Amino acid sequence: MEGPNYRSLESTVFRLKNEKDGVLIGSLCSKCHRVFFPQRVWCASCFEPTCEETELSREGKLISFSLIERASGYALVKPPYILGEVLLPEGPHVYTTIGMRSEPSPAGIDLRSAINEKNLSSLKMGQPVRLSPIVGKEDAVGREVVAYNFDPVEGLP
Amino acid sequence: MKDVVVMGIGLHPFGRFPDKTFEELAYPAINSALDDSGMPFKDLQIAFCGVVNSSLYDSRNVVQQFGWSGIMIHSLSQASGSSAAAFRLAYWTIATGLHDTALVVGYEKMERGFIPGTIMPGKSHLDVMGLDPIPARVALEMRKRMKDYDEPIEAHAAYAVQCSENAALNHYAHYQIRRTREEVLNSRIIADPLRLYMCCPTSDGAAAAILCSAEKARQYGDKRAVKVAAWACGSPQVEDLFGGPGAFIGGDFKGGNLTRRLAKEIYERAGIGPEDVNMAIVHDPFTMAAMVDIESLGFCPEGEGGRFILAGNTRRDGKIPLNTDGGLLCKGHPMGPTGVSQVCEVVKQLRGEAGERQIPRRPRVGLTHSSGAGMLNMLILKK
C-alpha cells in the first residue's frame, strides 16, 4: 500500500504493505504453473496471456554475487556494493543488492553496503538470504522511497 | 537458395575518433571493400547498415557519399551484433534471388563507460539500485563457473594475453599492446572477480563487406571470393528467462544455450561438425564469454573452456584458432561494425591475406558468432 509519506521505488516489482515492508510481485501462469519475475501478462513458455499476479517468497538462496566497484550513472547506491542473484523456491532468480543500508547524510540519505572488500568472505554461495527492504532518498514530493534488498538470514557481518 | 560469396571487405581502425563523422568513419571501410571486390558502386543493388547510436539520416549519408543510386538503404540496430544481423539480411536477399549484390556496412561512435541497459533511466529499481551494469552480471556468471568447474582465474588472463598478442599485430585494433598475465590479473577490479583487462572497451570504428551471388561474382573475377556456406540466427528461449529485473544481458553468458541450439542448426546446414571448423571469431566482450562460446560451439567439453584456452589450444598455432584479430576484447567493440568485422577477419584468413596474423595452417572453414542484446547471428564461411 502506498501512503502519503512513502512509496515503493518501483511498485510493479516491489509492493509495499506498509512503510517498512513489502513483497516482490511476480506472475504465475495458470496453464503451465511457471512463475516469472518481474511480472508479465503472456506466459513466455505457453505464448498465451495466461499469467496472473503472485506474491513471491521472502527467502531464497544466494546463487552468486559480485562486489561492484563502480556503479553506472543513474545509481544512487555508493560503491562498493554487492549485486546478488537470489533463487526463490518457486523458480525465478532475482537480481538484488545484498546487505544494503541507508545512512543519514548531509544529502539526506546515503545507500551504502554493509558488505565490502573487508568482509566479502562472509558471503557464501548457496547461503540463505531474506528480503530486507531499505529506505532511500525522498522523492520530489517528499515521500520516502522504499526499495527491496536482501540480507543474509544469519545477519550481517 | 543461390550461392552467395563475399567479394570485398574493408575497415576503419577501431579506437577513439571523437572528431570524425559517421561518413568519415565509414568512408575507408566502404571504399576499401569496393576496391577489394572489383565491383563499382553503381553495381550495388541494396545496402544494410548496422549502427546502434544512429541519428535519423546517417545511413543514407554514409552510403550516398558514393552516389545517389536510388537503392534501398537500411539502418539496423541489434546492439553488439548490429552488422552481423545486417550481413545475414544481405545474404538472405541475395540467396533468395531478390538481388545479386549488396553492401553491408557497420559504423559507430560510443561514449566511454557502461552502456545504459534501461529504458527509463533514473526511475526503475534496476538502475537506481545499481543492478544494471553489464560487467556485474557477467561477474555473477564468472563466479559460478569458477565454483562449478573449478575454472582458474589464470584462464581469463591467458585469454586476455592471447587477444592482446593478436591485436598487437592488427593495425585496425583499438589496443595494439601486448599485455602480460600479471597486468591482467592486477588490473582494476570492475566487479569482483572481473577485472578491467578482462573486459572489452567501447570504441569508434567502421567495417564493410560486399556480397554477391556466386554467379554474378564471375564477372568481377572471383578467385578471392569467400563463400557463405551457412547461417543461423535466433533469440533466447524460456529456459534462459530466469528472472530479473533487467533484460537478458545477452552474449549467452548464462550457459550458452542459444549458441548450442544455433550451432547444431548451422553445422547441419553446412553439413559439417565442430571438428571441421578451422578458425572461429566469437563474441568475447569479456574473457568469460569466450569460454562459454567455445564449449557451446562444441570445440571442447562443457566446463573445460578455461582450461582449453589455458593450454594454448585457441592460439593461432593451436587446435582451433580463436579471435585472431584480437577479439572484441582488444580489437575493440564499436557495436555497429563488430559483426561484419568478424567476417572481415575470417575472409582475410581464408584468403591467406592476414599478414603477421596469418594462421599457419591455412584455414578453409571459418565460423563467426555475434551476439547482440541476446540475439545471435552465426555464419560459416568457406574457401
Tab-separated table of all heavy atoms in Angstrom, chain A residues 9-10 34 37 40 44 63-72 74-76 81 83 85 92-97 125 148, chain B residues 114 121 124-125 127-132 136-137 139-141 143-144 147 188-192 238 241-245:
chain	number	residue	atom	x	y	z
A	9	LEU	N	9.910	2.163	-4.690
A	9	LEU	CA	10.747	2.650	-5.798
A	9	LEU	C	10.155	2.200	-7.134
A	9	LEU	O	10.151	2.946	-8.104
A	9	LEU	CB	12.172	2.120	-5.634
A	9	LEU	CG	13.172	2.392	-6.751
A	9	LEU	CD1	13.262	3.867	-7.079
A	9	LEU	CD2	14.552	1.866	-6.378
A	10	GLU	N	9.647	0.994	-7.185
A	10	GLU	CA	9.003	0.517	-8.414
A	10	GLU	C	7.896	-0.452	-7.999
A	10	GLU	O	8.152	-1.631	-7.738
A	10	GLU	CB	10.032	-0.167	-9.324
A	10	GLU	CG	9.523	-0.392	-10.731
A	10	GLU	CD	10.601	-0.884	-11.693
A	10	GLU	OE1	11.782	-0.873	-11.314
A	10	GLU	OE2	10.243	-1.285	-12.801
A	34	ARG	N	4.376	-22.048	-14.339
A	34	ARG	CA	5.706	-21.444	-14.227
A	34	ARG	C	5.563	-20.072	-13.587
A	34	ARG	O	4.591	-19.366	-13.845
A	34	ARG	CB	6.306	-21.304	-15.619
A	34	ARG	CG	7.772	-21.045	-15.595
A	34	ARG	CD	8.332	-21.253	-16.974
A	34	ARG	NE	9.763	-21.108	-16.970
A	34	ARG	CZ	10.605	-21.924	-17.569
A	34	ARG	NH1	10.158	-22.951	-18.247
A	34	ARG	NH2	11.896	-21.712	-17.507
A	37	PHE	N	9.527	-13.544	-12.798
A	37	PHE	CA	9.810	-12.262	-12.147
A	37	PHE	C	10.712	-11.479	-13.066
A	37	PHE	O	11.704	-12.004	-13.527
A	37	PHE	CB	10.505	-12.453	-10.788
A	37	PHE	CG	10.937	-11.163	-10.155
A	37	PHE	CD1	10.008	-10.332	-9.544
A	37	PHE	CD2	12.268	-10.748	-10.208
A	37	PHE	CE1	10.408	-9.117	-8.983
A	37	PHE	CE2	12.672	-9.536	-9.660
A	37	PHE	CZ	11.732	-8.724	-9.039
A	40	ARG	N	4.667	-10.504	-15.929
A	40	ARG	CA	4.387	-10.470	-17.357
A	40	ARG	C	2.971	-10.959	-17.561
A	40	ARG	O	2.399	-11.636	-16.723
A	40	ARG	CB	5.386	-11.299	-18.168
A	40	ARG	CG	5.534	-12.717	-17.724
A	40	ARG	CD	6.652	-13.440	-18.476
A	40	ARG	NE	6.389	-13.469	-19.909
A	40	ARG	CZ	7.205	-12.931	-20.814
A	40	ARG	NH1	8.304	-12.331	-20.448
A	40	ARG	NH2	6.910	-13.004	-22.092
A	44	ALA	N	5.804	-16.833	-21.090
A	44	ALA	CA	6.916	-16.927	-22.031
A	44	ALA	C	7.096	-18.332	-22.572
A	44	ALA	O	7.825	-18.552	-23.536
A	44	ALA	CB	8.204	-16.475	-21.353
A	63	ILE	N	22.654	-17.474	-5.086
A	63	ILE	CA	23.285	-18.312	-6.119
A	63	ILE	C	24.671	-17.785	-6.487
A	63	ILE	O	25.598	-18.554	-6.730
A	63	ILE	CB	22.407	-18.323	-7.384
A	63	ILE	CG1	21.082	-18.977	-7.097
A	63	ILE	CG2	23.095	-19.025	-8.530
A	63	ILE	CD1	21.190	-20.446	-6.819
A	64	SER	N	24.771	-16.451	-6.552
A	64	SER	CA	26.061	-15.856	-6.880
A	64	SER	C	26.062	-14.405	-6.445
A	64	SER	O	25.003	-13.853	-6.123
A	64	SER	CB	26.340	-15.951	-8.388
A	64	SER	OG	27.681	-15.582	-8.672
A	65	PHE	N	27.220	-13.794	-6.422
A	65	PHE	CA	27.305	-12.395	-6.027
A	65	PHE	C	28.586	-11.790	-6.598
A	65	PHE	O	29.513	-12.504	-6.987
A	65	PHE	CB	27.278	-12.249	-4.495
A	65	PHE	CG	28.365	-13.025	-3.789
A	65	PHE	CD1	29.605	-12.439	-3.554
A	65	PHE	CD2	28.139	-14.328	-3.388
A	65	PHE	CE1	30.608	-13.163	-2.917
A	65	PHE	CE2	29.141	-15.055	-2.750
A	65	PHE	CZ	30.376	-14.466	-2.519
A	66	SER	N	28.611	-10.467	-6.618
A	66	SER	CA	29.815	-9.769	-7.056
A	66	SER	C	29.905	-8.459	-6.315
A	66	SER	O	28.878	-7.825	-6.052
A	66	SER	CB	29.749	-9.513	-8.565
A	66	SER	OG	30.872	-8.772	-8.984
A	67	LEU	N	31.111	-8.056	-5.981
A	67	LEU	CA	31.325	-6.761	-5.345
A	67	LEU	C	31.601	-5.766	-6.464
A	67	LEU	O	32.596	-5.882	-7.178
A	67	LEU	CB	32.511	-6.823	-4.380
A	67	LEU	CG	32.796	-5.550	-3.590
A	67	LEU	CD1	31.683	-5.256	-2.597
A	67	LEU	CD2	34.127	-5.654	-2.843
A	68	ILE	N	30.720	-4.818	-6.612
A	68	ILE	CA	30.833	-3.856	-7.701
A	68	ILE	C	31.596	-2.622	-7.225
A	68	ILE	O	31.231	-2.011	-6.219
A	68	ILE	CB	29.429	-3.455	-8.195
A	68	ILE	CG1	28.704	-4.694	-8.685
A	68	ILE	CG2	29.524	-2.411	-9.290
A	68	ILE	CD1	27.302	-4.424	-9.145
A	69	GLU	N	32.624	-2.282	-7.977
A	69	GLU	CA	33.466	-1.162	-7.571
A	69	GLU	C	33.021	0.155	-8.201
A	69	GLU	O	33.390	1.211	-7.745
A	69	GLU	CB	34.935	-1.443	-7.974
A	69	GLU	CG	35.538	-2.634	-7.260
A	69	GLU	CD	35.790	-2.369	-5.789
A	69	GLU	OE1	35.801	-1.188	-5.370
A	69	GLU	OE2	35.953	-3.340	-5.036
A	70	ARG	N	32.291	0.028	-9.294
A	70	ARG	CA	31.858	1.250	-9.958
A	70	ARG	C	30.437	1.100	-10.436
A	70	ARG	O	30.115	0.144	-11.132
A	70	ARG	CB	32.752	1.516	-11.163
A	70	ARG	CG	32.869	2.990	-11.471
A	70	ARG	CD	33.004	3.199	-12.940
A	70	ARG	NE	34.346	3.569	-13.319
A	70	ARG	CZ	34.747	3.699	-14.584
A	70	ARG	NH1	33.923	3.465	-15.559
A	70	ARG	NH2	35.964	4.047	-14.853
A	71	ALA	N	29.585	2.049	-10.063
A	71	ALA	CA	28.178	1.971	-10.459
A	71	ALA	C	27.963	2.738	-11.753
A	71	ALA	O	28.784	3.557	-12.146
A	71	ALA	CB	27.307	2.563	-9.356
A	72	SER	N	26.850	2.471	-12.407
A	72	SER	CA	26.527	3.233	-13.614
A	72	SER	C	25.918	4.572	-13.226
A	72	SER	O	25.607	4.821	-12.068
A	72	SER	CB	25.569	2.451	-14.498
A	72	SER	OG	24.330	2.302	-13.853
A	74	TYR	N	23.167	6.290	-13.224
A	74	TYR	CA	21.897	6.625	-12.572
A	74	TYR	C	21.766	6.049	-11.164
A	74	TYR	O	20.797	6.289	-10.488
A	74	TYR	CB	20.734	6.120	-13.434
A	74	TYR	CG	20.779	6.690	-14.818
A	74	TYR	CD1	21.183	5.907	-15.897
A	74	TYR	CD2	20.459	8.022	-15.057
A	74	TYR	CE1	21.257	6.438	-17.166
A	74	TYR	CE2	20.523	8.556	-16.326
A	74	TYR	CZ	20.930	7.766	-17.380
A	74	TYR	OH	21.005	8.283	-18.645
A	75	ALA	N	22.768	5.300	-10.757
A	75	ALA	CA	22.649	4.601	-9.481
A	75	ALA	C	22.771	5.567	-8.311
A	75	ALA	O	23.604	6.479	-8.331
A	75	ALA	CB	23.725	3.522	-9.378
A	76	LEU	N	21.957	5.351	-7.288
A	76	LEU	CA	22.053	6.141	-6.064
A	76	LEU	C	22.851	5.396	-4.996
A	76	LEU	O	23.111	5.948	-3.939
A	76	LEU	CB	20.655	6.486	-5.542
A	76	LEU	CG	19.829	7.394	-6.452
A	76	LEU	CD1	18.486	7.705	-5.825
A	76	LEU	CD2	20.581	8.688	-6.755
A	81	TYR	N	29.475	-2.123	-3.586
A	81	TYR	CA	28.251	-2.748	-3.096
A	81	TYR	C	28.095	-4.107	-3.760
A	81	TYR	O	28.756	-4.400	-4.753
A	81	TYR	CB	27.020	-1.861	-3.385
A	81	TYR	CG	26.748	-1.625	-4.846
A	81	TYR	CD1	25.811	-2.400	-5.536
A	81	TYR	CD2	27.418	-0.615	-5.543
A	81	TYR	CE1	25.556	-2.180	-6.886
A	81	TYR	CE2	27.167	-0.402	-6.885
A	81	TYR	CZ	26.245	-1.178	-7.548
A	81	TYR	OH	26.010	-0.964	-8.878
A	83	LEU	N	26.091	-6.946	-5.772
A	83	LEU	CA	24.998	-7.421	-6.620
A	83	LEU	C	24.882	-8.910	-6.374
A	83	LEU	O	25.875	-9.630	-6.464
A	83	LEU	CB	25.286	-7.163	-8.096
A	83	LEU	CG	24.327	-7.851	-9.081
A	83	LEU	CD1	22.931	-7.257	-8.999
A	83	LEU	CD2	24.846	-7.750	-10.508
A	85	GLU	N	22.485	-12.629	-6.887
A	85	GLU	CA	21.451	-13.342	-7.632
A	85	GLU	C	20.826	-14.323	-6.656
A	85	GLU	O	21.517	-15.188	-6.109
A	85	GLU	CB	22.068	-14.080	-8.822
A	85	GLU	CG	21.062	-14.828	-9.678
A	85	GLU	CD	21.733	-15.614	-10.788
A	85	GLU	OE1	22.851	-15.238	-11.191
A	85	GLU	OE2	21.145	-16.609	-11.237
A	92	PRO	N	11.937	-18.263	-9.934
A	92	PRO	CA	12.668	-17.147	-10.528
A	92	PRO	C	13.961	-16.815	-9.778
A	92	PRO	O	14.091	-17.062	-8.582
A	92	PRO	CB	11.695	-15.964	-10.416
A	92	PRO	CG	10.427	-16.484	-9.924
A	92	PRO	CD	10.644	-17.855	-9.386
A	93	HIS	N	14.897	-16.231	-10.555
A	93	HIS	CA	16.099	-15.673	-9.968
A	93	HIS	C	15.881	-14.168	-9.866
A	93	HIS	O	15.394	-13.560	-10.816
A	93	HIS	CB	17.314	-15.933	-10.854
A	93	HIS	CG	17.655	-17.372	-11.001
A	93	HIS	ND1	18.934	-17.850	-10.885
A	93	HIS	CD2	16.885	-18.461	-11.266
A	93	HIS	CE1	18.949	-19.157	-11.085
A	93	HIS	NE2	17.717	-19.551	-11.316
A	94	VAL	N	16.270	-13.589	-8.766
A	94	VAL	CA	16.088	-12.157	-8.549
A	94	VAL	C	17.448	-11.486	-8.455
A	94	VAL	O	18.314	-11.931	-7.690
A	94	VAL	CB	15.303	-11.906	-7.237
A	94	VAL	CG1	15.195	-10.423	-6.945
A	94	VAL	CG2	13.922	-12.545	-7.311
A	95	TYR	N	17.632	-10.450	-9.234
A	95	TYR	CA	18.833	-9.628	-9.067
A	95	TYR	C	18.547	-8.611	-7.976
A	95	TYR	O	17.488	-7.970	-7.976
A	95	TYR	CB	19.184	-8.884	-10.357
A	95	TYR	CG	19.740	-9.769	-11.448
A	95	TYR	CD1	19.182	-9.772	-12.715
A	95	TYR	CD2	20.834	-10.592	-11.205
A	95	TYR	CE1	19.700	-10.564	-13.722
A	95	TYR	CE2	21.356	-11.393	-12.208
A	95	TYR	CZ	20.785	-11.372	-13.458
A	95	TYR	OH	21.305	-12.149	-14.443
A	96	THR	N	19.493	-8.446	-7.066
A	96	THR	CA	19.230	-7.603	-5.912
A	96	THR	C	20.529	-7.123	-5.300
A	96	THR	O	21.581	-7.740	-5.492
A	96	THR	CB	18.424	-8.400	-4.857
A	96	THR	OG1	18.256	-7.612	-3.678
A	96	THR	CG2	19.136	-9.685	-4.469
A	97	THR	N	20.440	-6.041	-4.526
A	97	THR	CA	21.566	-5.710	-3.664
A	97	THR	C	21.526	-6.680	-2.482
A	97	THR	O	20.463	-7.202	-2.135
A	97	THR	CB	21.452	-4.274	-3.130
A	97	THR	OG1	20.115	-4.070	-2.660
A	97	THR	CG2	21.762	-3.254	-4.212
A	125	MET	N	28.306	-18.678	-1.496
A	125	MET	CA	27.321	-19.091	-2.494
A	125	MET	C	26.447	-20.184	-1.896
A	125	MET	O	26.953	-21.115	-1.280
A	125	MET	CB	28.033	-19.585	-3.750
A	125	MET	CG	28.719	-18.470	-4.516
A	125	MET	SD	29.852	-19.086	-5.754
A	125	MET	CE	28.750	-19.313	-7.139
A	148	TYR	N	13.488	-2.818	-2.502
A	148	TYR	CA	13.809	-4.153	-1.980
A	148	TYR	C	15.312	-4.353	-1.944
A	148	TYR	O	16.066	-3.714	-2.665
A	148	TYR	CB	13.094	-5.251	-2.762
A	148	TYR	CG	13.669	-5.588	-4.135
A	148	TYR	CD1	14.767	-6.435	-4.262
A	148	TYR	CD2	13.087	-5.088	-5.297
A	148	TYR	CE1	15.291	-6.759	-5.512
A	148	TYR	CE2	13.597	-5.404	-6.548
A	148	TYR	CZ	14.703	-6.244	-6.650
A	148	TYR	OH	15.216	-6.551	-7.885
B	114	PHE	N	29.926	2.470	-18.990
B	114	PHE	CA	28.872	1.473	-19.077
B	114	PHE	C	27.841	1.859	-20.124
B	114	PHE	O	27.511	3.020	-20.288
B	114	PHE	CB	28.135	1.325	-17.738
B	114	PHE	CG	28.981	0.754	-16.639
B	114	PHE	CD1	28.848	1.216	-15.340
B	114	PHE	CD2	29.914	-0.232	-16.876
B	114	PHE	CE1	29.611	0.702	-14.308
B	114	PHE	CE2	30.688	-0.748	-15.858
B	114	PHE	CZ	30.538	-0.281	-14.567
B	121	PRO	N	15.799	5.811	-17.590
B	121	PRO	CA	16.901	5.985	-16.648
B	121	PRO	C	16.503	6.803	-15.423
B	121	PRO	O	15.823	7.817	-15.549
B	121	PRO	CB	17.949	6.754	-17.460
B	121	PRO	CG	17.494	6.767	-18.840
B	121	PRO	CD	16.060	6.394	-18.892
B	124	SER	N	13.770	3.374	-12.479
B	124	SER	CA	13.468	1.980	-12.165
B	124	SER	C	14.421	1.460	-11.099
B	124	SER	O	15.536	1.942	-10.940
B	124	SER	CB	13.585	1.130	-13.421
B	124	SER	OG	14.918	1.154	-13.882
B	125	HIS	N	13.979	0.449	-10.388
B	125	HIS	CA	14.799	-0.174	-9.360
B	125	HIS	C	16.122	-0.634	-9.963
B	125	HIS	O	17.178	-0.517	-9.339
B	125	HIS	CB	14.026	-1.364	-8.760
B	125	HIS	CG	14.751	-2.052	-7.645
B	125	HIS	ND1	14.392	-1.925	-6.324
B	125	HIS	CD2	15.811	-2.881	-7.665
B	125	HIS	CE1	15.218	-2.642	-5.574
B	125	HIS	NE2	16.094	-3.234	-6.360
B	127	ASP	N	18.178	0.483	-12.290
B	127	ASP	CA	19.334	1.376	-12.387
B	127	ASP	C	19.546	2.199	-11.131
B	127	ASP	O	20.678	2.450	-10.741
B	127	ASP	CB	19.265	2.264	-13.632
B	127	ASP	CG	17.995	3.074	-13.720
B	127	ASP	OD1	17.105	2.903	-12.864
B	127	ASP	OD2	17.881	3.879	-14.656
B	128	VAL	N	18.465	2.608	-10.459
B	128	VAL	CA	18.629	3.391	-9.229
B	128	VAL	C	19.394	2.586	-8.175
B	128	VAL	O	20.209	3.128	-7.428
B	128	VAL	CB	17.261	3.850	-8.689
B	128	VAL	CG1	17.383	4.445	-7.302
B	128	VAL	CG2	16.622	4.855	-9.640
B	129	MET	N	19.129	1.294	-8.108
B	129	MET	CA	19.780	0.455	-7.104
B	129	MET	C	21.028	-0.227	-7.647
B	129	MET	O	21.557	-1.144	-7.032
B	129	MET	CB	18.797	-0.602	-6.575
B	129	MET	CG	17.647	-0.018	-5.780
B	129	MET	SD	18.181	0.953	-4.347
B	129	MET	CE	18.789	-0.363	-3.283
B	130	GLY	N	21.503	0.217	-8.793
B	130	GLY	CA	22.795	-0.243	-9.289
B	130	GLY	C	22.843	-1.687	-9.740
B	130	GLY	O	23.895	-2.321	-9.699
B	131	LEU	N	21.713	-2.227	-10.192
B	131	LEU	CA	21.696	-3.636	-10.583
B	131	LEU	C	22.022	-3.823	-12.061
B	131	LEU	O	22.092	-4.949	-12.533
B	131	LEU	CB	20.308	-4.249	-10.321
B	131	LEU	CG	19.748	-4.152	-8.906
B	131	LEU	CD1	18.438	-4.926	-8.823
B	131	LEU	CD2	20.741	-4.685	-7.889
B	132	ASP	N	22.185	-2.723	-12.777
B	132	ASP	CA	22.260	-2.856	-14.229
B	132	ASP	C	23.626	-3.032	-14.876
B	132	ASP	O	23.674	-3.444	-16.015
B	132	ASP	CB	21.532	-1.692	-14.918
B	132	ASP	CG	22.110	-0.338	-14.517
B	132	ASP	OD1	22.725	-0.245	-13.435
B	132	ASP	OD2	21.927	0.625	-15.275
B	136	ALA	N	28.809	-6.452	-14.125
B	136	ALA	CA	28.435	-7.050	-12.844
B	136	ALA	C	27.648	-8.336	-13.069
B	136	ALA	O	27.832	-9.331	-12.357
B	136	ALA	CB	27.611	-6.060	-12.024
B	137	ARG	N	26.773	-8.320	-14.087
B	137	ARG	CA	26.007	-9.534	-14.398
B	137	ARG	C	26.947	-10.646	-14.861
B	137	ARG	O	26.764	-11.814	-14.539
B	137	ARG	CB	24.990	-9.255	-15.508
B	137	ARG	CG	23.991	-8.148	-15.213
B	137	ARG	CD	23.009	-8.563	-14.157
B	137	ARG	NE	21.976	-7.562	-13.956
B	137	ARG	CZ	20.743	-7.655	-14.455
B	137	ARG	NH1	20.387	-8.697	-15.155
B	137	ARG	NH2	19.863	-6.694	-14.225
B	139	ALA	N	30.048	-10.910	-13.997
B	139	ALA	CA	30.824	-11.354	-12.837
B	139	ALA	C	30.081	-12.439	-12.054
B	139	ALA	O	30.685	-13.374	-11.527
B	139	ALA	CB	31.138	-10.169	-11.931
B	140	LEU	N	28.752	-12.323	-12.006
B	140	LEU	CA	27.953	-13.353	-11.317
B	140	LEU	C	28.169	-14.712	-11.976
B	140	LEU	O	28.339	-15.730	-11.312
B	140	LEU	CB	26.462	-13.015	-11.373
B	140	LEU	CG	25.970	-11.761	-10.652
B	140	LEU	CD1	24.476	-11.593	-10.873
B	140	LEU	CD2	26.267	-11.824	-9.171
B	141	GLU	N	28.134	-14.721	-13.298
B	141	GLU	CA	28.283	-15.977	-14.042
B	141	GLU	C	29.707	-16.500	-13.925
B	141	GLU	O	29.944	-17.704	-13.857
B	141	GLU	CB	27.913	-15.771	-15.517
B	141	GLU	CG	26.487	-15.268	-15.742
B	141	GLU	CD	25.425	-16.143	-15.106
B	141	GLU	OE1	25.543	-17.386	-15.190
B	141	GLU	OE2	24.474	-15.600	-14.513
B	143	ARG	N	31.745	-16.139	-11.409
B	143	ARG	CA	31.908	-16.752	-10.093
B	143	ARG	C	31.288	-18.151	-10.068
B	143	ARG	O	31.831	-19.083	-9.489
B	143	ARG	CB	31.273	-15.861	-9.015
B	143	ARG	CG	31.531	-16.303	-7.593
B	143	ARG	CD	30.883	-15.350	-6.621
B	143	ARG	NE	31.574	-14.060	-6.621
B	143	ARG	CZ	32.566	-13.753	-5.810
B	143	ARG	NH1	32.986	-14.606	-4.933
B	143	ARG	NH2	33.132	-12.569	-5.890
B	144	LYS	N	30.143	-18.297	-10.733
B	144	LYS	CA	29.506	-19.623	-10.783
B	144	LYS	C	30.416	-20.618	-11.490
B	144	LYS	O	30.578	-21.752	-11.057
B	144	LYS	CB	28.185	-19.563	-11.547
B	144	LYS	CG	27.037	-18.891	-10.829
B	144	LYS	CD	25.820	-18.916	-11.748
B	144	LYS	CE	24.812	-17.855	-11.348
B	144	LYS	NZ	23.762	-17.715	-12.389
B	147	LYS	N	33.336	-21.766	-9.448
B	147	LYS	CA	32.947	-22.751	-8.429
B	147	LYS	C	32.563	-24.082	-9.066
B	147	LYS	O	33.069	-25.128	-8.702
B	147	LYS	CB	31.779	-22.196	-7.603
B	147	LYS	CG	31.208	-23.185	-6.587
B	147	LYS	CD	30.245	-22.484	-5.636
B	147	LYS	CE	29.631	-23.474	-4.655
B	147	LYS	NZ	28.374	-24.052	-5.190
B	188	ARG	N	42.525	-3.134	-12.602
B	188	ARG	CA	41.500	-2.646	-11.673
B	188	ARG	C	40.269	-3.552	-11.641
B	188	ARG	O	39.776	-3.971	-12.685
B	188	ARG	CB	41.099	-1.233	-12.138
B	188	ARG	CG	39.993	-0.568	-11.356
B	188	ARG	CD	40.015	0.932	-11.577
B	188	ARG	NE	39.813	1.339	-12.962
B	188	ARG	CZ	38.633	1.503	-13.539
B	188	ARG	NH1	37.530	1.282	-12.871
B	188	ARG	NH2	38.556	1.886	-14.804
B	189	ILE	N	39.756	-3.806	-10.442
B	189	ILE	CA	38.532	-4.606	-10.314
B	189	ILE	C	37.342	-3.756	-10.757
B	189	ILE	O	37.167	-2.631	-10.306
B	189	ILE	CB	38.314	-5.075	-8.857
B	189	ILE	CG1	39.356	-6.128	-8.494
B	189	ILE	CG2	36.914	-5.654	-8.689
B	189	ILE	CD1	39.126	-6.778	-7.148
B	190	ILE	N	36.532	-4.352	-11.639
B	190	ILE	CA	35.302	-3.690	-12.080
B	190	ILE	C	34.148	-4.212	-11.216
B	190	ILE	O	33.398	-3.453	-10.606
B	190	ILE	CB	35.018	-3.989	-13.564
B	190	ILE	CG1	36.193	-3.555	-14.449
B	190	ILE	CG2	33.717	-3.362	-14.010
B	190	ILE	CD1	36.410	-2.054	-14.499
B	191	ALA	N	33.995	-5.521	-11.221
B	191	ALA	CA	33.006	-6.201	-10.381
B	191	ALA	C	33.631	-7.545	-10.058
B	191	ALA	O	33.750	-8.393	-10.932
B	191	ALA	CB	31.684	-6.373	-11.121
B	192	ASP	N	34.042	-7.694	-8.845
B	192	ASP	CA	34.778	-8.883	-8.438
B	192	ASP	C	34.066	-10.167	-8.876
B	192	ASP	O	32.881	-10.312	-8.611
B	192	ASP	CB	34.889	-8.829	-6.907
B	192	ASP	CG	35.539	-10.062	-6.343
B	192	ASP	OD1	36.765	-10.156	-6.424
B	192	ASP	OD2	34.786	-10.931	-5.862
B	238	VAL	N	12.663	-19.783	-23.367
B	238	VAL	CA	12.227	-19.542	-21.993
B	238	VAL	C	13.189	-20.104	-20.945
B	238	VAL	O	13.264	-19.581	-19.838
B	238	VAL	CB	10.778	-20.046	-21.778
B	238	VAL	CG1	10.714	-21.556	-21.737
B	238	VAL	CG2	10.185	-19.450	-20.527
B	241	LEU	N	15.030	-17.381	-19.646
B	241	LEU	CA	14.300	-16.309	-18.961
B	241	LEU	C	14.207	-16.730	-17.502
B	241	LEU	O	13.236	-17.342	-17.094
B	241	LEU	CB	12.900	-16.149	-19.557
B	241	LEU	CG	12.155	-14.842	-19.257
B	241	LEU	CD1	10.758	-14.881	-19.840
B	241	LEU	CD2	12.100	-14.455	-17.817
B	242	PHE	N	15.236	-16.423	-16.762
B	242	PHE	CA	15.252	-16.971	-15.420
B	242	PHE	C	14.986	-15.950	-14.338
B	242	PHE	O	14.977	-16.274	-13.174
B	242	PHE	CB	16.575	-17.675	-15.143
B	242	PHE	CG	17.761	-16.754	-15.168
B	242	PHE	CD1	18.394	-16.387	-13.988
B	242	PHE	CD2	18.258	-16.258	-16.357
B	242	PHE	CE1	19.493	-15.547	-14.007
B	242	PHE	CE2	19.352	-15.414	-16.381
B	242	PHE	CZ	19.971	-15.063	-15.194
B	243	GLY	N	14.793	-14.716	-14.692
B	243	GLY	CA	14.489	-13.756	-13.635
B	243	GLY	C	14.766	-12.341	-14.048
B	243	GLY	O	14.866	-12.011	-15.221
B	244	GLY	N	14.935	-11.485	-13.074
B	244	GLY	CA	15.161	-10.069	-13.362
B	244	GLY	C	15.296	-9.305	-12.067
B	244	GLY	O	15.572	-9.890	-11.045
B	245	PRO	N	15.097	-7.999	-12.054
B	245	PRO	CA	14.692	-7.241	-13.232
B	245	PRO	C	15.846	-6.998	-14.183
B	245	PRO	O	16.978	-7.254	-13.873
B	245	PRO	CB	14.193	-5.924	-12.632
B	245	PRO	CG	14.928	-5.782	-11.357
B	245	PRO	CD	15.196	-7.171	-10.844
